[in-house]
Amino acid sequence: MRTNLALSNISYNRARAVLSVAGIGVAIILMFMQLGFRGAIENTATTIYSKMDFDLVVRSPDYLHFVLPDQIPRSAIHEIAGQEKIESVVPFHVSMANWKSPREEKERGVVVIGVDPAASTFKTDATQVTQHIERLTSPEFVLIDQKSFPEFGPKNGTRFESQDIGVTTKVQEQEIRIAGLFEMGSGLTANGAIIVNEQGFDRLLPFDSKNNVSMGLIKLQPGLSYSEKRKIAEQLQNRFRTDSGRLQVEVLTNRQAVRRELRRWLGETPIGFIFQLGVLISLIVGAAIVYMILSTDVANKLSEYATLKAMGYTNFFLASVVLKQALYLAILAFIPSLFLSLGLYAITAALAKIPIFMTPGRVIFVLIMSLLMCMVSGTLALKKLWQAEPAELF
Amino acid sequence: MITDEIDIEDLIRKWNPKKTDLSVSVSGLNHYYGEGDARKQVLFDNELHIRSGEIVIMTGPSGSGKTTLLTLIGTLRSVQEGSLKVLQNELNGMSQDKIVELRKEMGFIFQAHNLFESLTAFQNVKMATELVGQADKQSKPQIESTLTRLGLGERIYYKPKSLSGGQKQRVAIARGIIHRPKLILADEPTAALDAKSGREVVTIFQELARDHGVTIIIVTHDNRILDVADRMVKMVDGNIVSNVLVKRAEIICQILIDHEKRTDSKLKLFSQLTPTVLTDVADKMELRQYEPGAEIIRQGDIGNEFFVIAHGDVEIVVDGNKVNELPAGSFFGEVALIEDAPRNATVRAKNKVACFILDKAEFQDVLDKSASFEEELRKAIFERQ
């Protein structure tokens, strides 16, 4: 077996190896956390969409994001309902409002969703959303999201449960009563959500649900392919073009709507950029650490490397020793960092109530980035290696 | 008999290397350090030819250029001016790839041993065998026995940190020789060693030189090992001020002068020579071996060579009649050279014979250089007539 000089070098100086691994590990954990937060935003931004039951959505071209959807005339959804291959179009209303905690005077932003309790707005398998939907028989009744933060004032101080049903409080200064529960998660704009019926929505907000809707959820006849769905969406959209060519509504497929929502949060707001920057900074920090470790190591061992050269080892071999050390450090640091990150994800998910979890894609991505980071630094550290001058050995 | 103590086979092998056997050939070598105004010449027109299997000891004050010359020979510096052939390869203008290849045929022993601190003694030595592609099965027993021989049997699997200076030095020596290099370059290899291990090291060097034709160049000030040198090279201020084949001069002294003294011969052909001329003559002499009965020269032939018997006895035959016998230490063949005449007798080996031989030109050269040699020779010729 060939003597593994790189591995020997790492295991010889244990203290330094542990320090190196810790340094690189911090960078890797930072990367996992940044990507985790970014992933959480993706999950959060689309969490409501993922629970809604629709093939296409019709909405205003001025739609900004889920809780600032603007509005379209209700007549538009009636018109669409009459088209071919359309099974149903369900009105959907959404806005932000102020929620007064039943336990204190303070008000919080809450997502208000207005639906027709009789229509199937949410997926039937999302039973935690639909179990109490038929209780919305009065404009004063609301269902509250059990994932709402404790600051919304559940009786037990942590989570809305059945004992909160019947509690009254105010939304937009209007008296409401908690009639039931659902479980959804409210997205990025608020820490809680409620569902009301259409009259309730008009009551709480300056909205005319008889003539306007925030969006229309379109269900198509079953058995259509995605490209057919896209074609229908396009055709529908073109029906609402003004003479000047301006679109009055936009019709998107489910997938397009989700993608736009992600782009809105990650591409058009600084949020996505912040996390990308975070990943980049982690990479730079990690690379700097690896570079410092390796170049110090090479400098300390310069006479050993010079000896290798004098013996007849090629520069390629010398470089491979340094790069192998970088590789080993990356792998040694990655494994514990992965497990630590899993722990930190669990803690973050529990404390911040955000859907942060590890995906195989992210593990692979961070592994590749870690290896790349170490290899790049290793390559930079090689510059020192070329200073190894065997003539100086005598 | 002193000559009987000499291993004649070994002597012949050492004495008569083929021309292609030159292991290192330095010719018109200049070297400079620095650039521009700071450029300083450190080697001046160096000339040095070392044969395979020679043990060369280089001495000289520090700054004399011996280390520079050593690193140049070791391919660790690039040749600037002149010719430097190592193991039949011209280093001047050689590509880096070839240089790296050539280094595998060399062994370096550094004063500052430069062991890999993270590897055991065994692994340190193994780095050298791996480079030349030796299989573990083959190299393991070799490494272990070499280290054991160097007194490190108990410490084969220790790391340098747990070894004394002398032990580290011995590991470095093992690393420098384990891959059977053709050329070993050593810088003060015995400085850190006690007398016993120092002796063991030079014994190993001698074995490598004798049994495997390894050329060994040692830069040292260690008086204890000077006796192993075949050649002593002394450098001062970038010049090779002396380059002596110690062993030849020694052998000439042993064989010839001792013989002259012992037999109380009136012929003081070699005893009279100054050491410089003697080593000069020794350097030019060829050693040739003859089987019993072989004709060394034949009557009537053109004479081109001068013979000194190093070993054995010869018969002088004139016109088919044996007229005389000559023992080791005697010389013959000078008349034809001096008088430019055909051989006046046949000389035949009586037993196994070895002769030192000078050719005509070299013989003349020696005559020119040493009046006493000529005088002694003439005296000899006169007495023989």
Side-chain angles (χ1 to χ4, degrees):
Chain A
M1 213 180 72
R2 291 213 118 199
T3 307
N4 194 333
L5 187 56
L7 200 58
S8 299
N9 281 347
I10 285 179
S11 65
Y12 180 69
N13 202 333
R14 294 254 156 85
R16 187 192 288 164
V18 167
L19 212 66
S20 318
V21 164
I24 301 164
V26 166
I28 294 175
I29 290 170
L30 274 173
M31 252 192 288
F32 269 127
M33 293 318 287
Q34 303 289 341
L35 289 170
F37 289 136
R38 191 178 185 277
I41 288 172
E42 286 180 16
N43 296 329
T44 310
T46 58
T47 183
I48 301 178
Y49 270 119
S50 71
K51 300 280 162 60
M52 282 155 58
D53 186 19
F54 66 98
D55 292 311
L56 310 177
V57 60
V58 53
R59 64 192 197 190
S60 164
D62 296 327
Y63 175 98
L64 202 55
H65 59 76
F66 190 74
V67 294
L68 279 175
D70 200 27
Q71 52 189 339
I72 53 170
R74 194 158 185 141
S75 59
I77 71 172
H78 293 313
E79 190 180 335
I80 289 170
Q83 301 302 316
E84 257 181 68
K85 289 181 185 153
I86 305 294
E87 204 170 83
S88 68
V89 186
V90 174
F92 187 87
H93 314 283
V94 63
S95 181
M96 289 292 292
N98 286 323
W99 165 275
K100 197 187 86 58
S101 162
R103 290 155 60 91
E104 51 179 331
E105 278 307 310
K106 239 173 154 183
E107 293 195 329
R108 320 271 169 186
V110 68
V111 174
V112 184
I113 295 169
V115 298
D116 175 0
S120 76
T121 312
F122 296 100
K123 286 180 183 159
T124 45
D125 55 350
T127 47
Q128 67 271 43
V129 184
T130 53
Q131 58 183 342
H132 292 156
I133 201 103
E134 69 279 2
R135 291 187 189 175
L136 296 175
T137 51
S138 158
E140 283 155 37
F141 289 172
V142 306
L143 306 182
I144 182 135
D145 187 356
Q146 288 186 288
K147 284 194 175 167
S148 300
F149 277 36
E151 64 202 31
F152 280 68
K155 270 192 173 160
N156 63 15
T158 55
R159 186 180 156 96
F160 286 95
E161 298 290 355
S162 47
Q163 71 260 29
D164 291 295
I165 295 173
V167 169
T168 58
T169 184
K170 282 180 174 172
V171 172
Q172 296 291 95
E173 301 301 324
Q174 304 288 318
E175 193 92 358
I176 57 99
R177 179 189 297 270
I178 297 174
L181 305 168
F182 69 102
E183 194 175 343
M184 188 168 71
S186 47
L188 292 165
T189 41
N191 290 332
I194 55 173
I195 301 178
V196 293
N197 66 18
E198 292 188 291
Q199 297 83 349
F201 194 79
D202 288 348
R203 176 173 166 259
L204 296 178
L205 298 152
F207 200 84
D208 178 8
S209 67
K210 285 203 173 56
N211 293 314
N212 293 312
V213 296
S214 301
M215 306 176 215
L217 306 181
I218 303 165
K219 240 168 289 168
L220 299 172
Q221 283 167 0
L224 293 168
S225 70
Y226 182 71
S227 59
E228 284 171 314
K229 287 180 190 175
R230 273 189 69 166
K231 214 167 146 200
I232 294 168
E234 231 169 280
Q235 283 166 353
L236 288 176
Q237 184 171 280
N238 286 334
R239 292 183 65 87
F240 294 92
R241 212 178 272 279
T242 60
D243 295 338
S244 60
R246 195 181 154 274
L247 283 177
Q248 288 173 307
V249 301
E250 82 183 345
V251 183
L252 301 173
T253 65
N254 191 322
R255 204 186 292 176
Q256 284 172 318
V258 167
R259 213 179 290 149
R260 292 256 181 113
E261 198 71 14
L262 286 180
R263 198 169 69 201
R264 160 73 199 159
W265 288 108
L266 297 175
E268 293 168 17
T269 66
I271 299 173
F273 177 67
I274 285 168
F275 291 114
Q276 275 162 19
L277 197 68
V279 171
L280 189 71
I281 289 171
S282 313
L283 273 174
I284 292 171
V285 168
I289 292 171
V290 178
Y291 174 74
M292 262 155 45
I293 292 161
L294 288 178
S295 59
T296 314
D297 190 64
V298 170
N300 288 340
K301 291 193 160 69
L302 214 52
S303 71
E304 292 187 16
Y305 286 112
T307 305
L308 284 173
K309 275 175 110 165
M311 287 169 77
Y313 278 101
T314 56
N315 280 335
F316 178 80
F317 178 87
L318 267 64
S320 79
V321 171
V322 177
L323 291 180
K324 259 198 240 166
Q325 275 178 237
L327 187 72
Y328 293 143
L329 287 176
I331 293 169
L332 277 177
F334 183 80
I335 295 163
S337 302
L338 174 62
F339 287 106
L340 274 171
S341 300
L342 286 172
L344 285 172
Y345 276 12
I347 292 169
T348 311
L351 292 182
K353 299 201 172 180
I354 54 172
I356 180 167
F357 47 82
M358 194 63 81
T359 62
R362 189 178 304 149
V363 173
I364 292 166
F365 176 77
V366 173
L367 177 61
I368 291 171
M369 292 317 271
S370 311
L371 294 179
L372 266 176
M373 169 180 93
C374 288
M375 285 297 120
V376 167
S377 319
T379 309
L380 291 174
L382 291 182
K383 234 174 77 184
K384 274 243 159 55
L385 189 62
W386 308 141
Q387 295 169 4
E389 182 50 75
E392 307 293 329
L393 292 173
F394 278 106
Chain B
M1 288 281 286
I2 288 170
T3 47
D4 288 342
E5 288 164 16
I6 292 169
D7 177 352
I8 198 74
E9 304 287 342
D10 177 44
L11 182 62
I12 285 170
R13 194 169 46 236
K14 262 214 171 130
W15 203 277
N16 295 328
K18 294 178 210 110
K19 280 287 172 209
T20 52
D21 265 0
L22 277 183
S23 181
V24 174
S25 188
V26 178
S27 188
L29 188 71
N30 292 312
H31 200 79
Y32 308 84
Y33 285 148
E35 303 260 320
D37 290 343
R39 190 163 132 121
K40 184 172 169 280
Q41 188 162 4
V42 290
L43 293 184
F44 297 85
D45 197 22
N46 283 178
E47 195 80 25
L48 178 64
H49 303 278
I50 299 169
R51 298 180 177 103
S52 292
E54 265 184 29
I55 298 179
V56 181
I57 287 187
M58 279 173 71
T59 58
S62 60
S64 60
K66 57 186 194 303
T67 304
T68 305
L69 184 56
L70 195 68
T71 50
L72 279 164
I73 294 171
T75 73
L76 304 183
R77 273 179 212 289
S78 34
V79 178
Q80 297 169 344
E81 260 177 49
S83 164
L84 173 52
K85 281 192 188 142
V86 173
L87 305 172
Q88 275 86 56
N89 295 282
E90 175 59 62
L91 297 189
N92 194 349
M94 190 183 238
S95 76
Q96 194 59 38
D97 287 353
K98 277 203 168 155
I99 284 174
V100 171
E101 267 315 295
L102 188 58
R103 282 177 186 166
K104 293 183 190 171
E105 298 187 46
M106 302 192 198
F108 292 97
I109 298 162
F110 307 103
Q111 189 176 9
H113 35 75
N114 297 314
L115 296 178
F116 309 114
E117 62 168 355
S118 68
L119 301 182
T120 62
F122 179 85
Q123 288 174 315
N124 262 286
V125 179
K126 194 159 170 280
M127 289 301 287
T129 61
E130 283 176 11
L131 183 62
V132 296
Q134 233 177 67
D136 286 10
K137 221 195 273 173
Q138 197 188 345
S139 65
K140 189 168 186 275
Q142 250 178 32
I143 295 168
E144 284 173 346
S145 72
T146 305
L147 286 172
T148 306
R149 194 168 164 198
L150 285 164
L152 294 166
E154 305 292 313
R155 312 221 151 219
I156 289 177
Y157 297 104
Y158 280 54
K159 289 190 174 155
K161 197 174 62 179
S162 327
L163 300 175
S164 73
Q167 287 168 334
K168 281 188 236 183
Q169 184 60 21
R170 279 176 277 163
V171 176
I173 289 166
R175 182 177 64 182
I177 65 173
I178 195 75
H179 56 297
R180 281 287 153 72
K182 294 191 179 119
L183 176 62
I184 292 174
L185 303 173
D187 185 20
E188 299 284 5
T190 54
L193 304 183
D194 57 51
K196 187 168 162 279
S197 15
R199 187 39 59 183
E200 187 61 38
V201 168
V202 293
T203 306
I204 291 177
F205 282 173
Q206 282 177 308
E207 284 175 14
L208 287 169
R210 190 185 63 223
D211 301 340
H212 304 285
V214 178
T215 310
I216 300 165
I217 305 178
I218 307 168
V219 167
T220 192
H221 295 102
D222 186 355
N223 295 329
R224 300 173 300 179
I225 64 166
L226 295 185
D227 60 293
V228 303
D230 293 308
R231 184 190 293 275
M232 296 275 295
V233 174
K234 189 176 181 192
M235 290 193 73
V236 175
D237 295 335
N239 295 289
I240 295 174
V241 292
S242 100
N243 173 10
V244 179
L245 274 167
V246 193
K247 278 284 158 65
R248 287 195 174 195
E250 253 174 40
I251 291 163
I252 295 272
C253 286
Q254 271 189 0
I255 295 176
L256 305 177
I257 299 176
D258 286 1
H259 177 82
E260 284 173 12
K261 281 180 183 160
R262 195 177 51 249
T263 56
D264 197 24
S265 165
K266 285 173 197 151
L267 302 170
K268 303 280 189 239
L269 191 57
F270 291 95
S271 320
Q272 298 293 329
L273 296 180
T274 63
T276 321
V277 178
L278 184 65
T279 45
D280 199 32
V281 172
D283 208 0
K284 286 171 177 159
M285 275 183 160
E286 191 186 326
L287 185 67
R288 214 178 284 160
Q289 203 182 8
Y290 299 93
E291 292 305 312
E295 274 185 3
I296 300 169
I297 57 177
R298 186 184 290 146
Q299 192 174 0
D301 282 0
I302 305 289
N304 280 325
E305 287 165 329
F306 168 71
F307 297 80
V308 181
I309 305 166
H311 179 84
D313 307 280
V314 299
E315 299 172 335
I316 313 287
V317 180
V318 178
D319 301 329
N321 305 311
K322 179 175 156 188
V323 295
N324 199 2
E325 269 187 30
L326 295 175
S330 315
F331 54 87
F332 57 87
E334 72 286 353
V335 180
L337 295 188
I338 293 169
E339 294 172 1
D340 222 0
R343 297 292 190 197
N344 55 10
T346 296
V347 178
R348 193 177 293 135
K350 195 181 168 200
N351 38 37
K352 210 165 192 172
V353 168
C355 290
F356 293 117
I357 296 155
L358 270 180
D359 73 16
K360 197 174 176 179
E362 284 159 352
F363 179 74
Q364 195 56 50
D365 195 40
V366 178
L367 284 185
D368 294 346
K369 273 192 184 144
S370 171
S372 61
F373 184 82
E374 192 177 353
E375 189 184 314
E376 290 298 321
L377 196 64
R378 293 203 178 281
K379 207 189 287 173
I381 295 165
F382 175 79
E383 278 182 17
R384 209 177 277 171
Q385 280 167 344

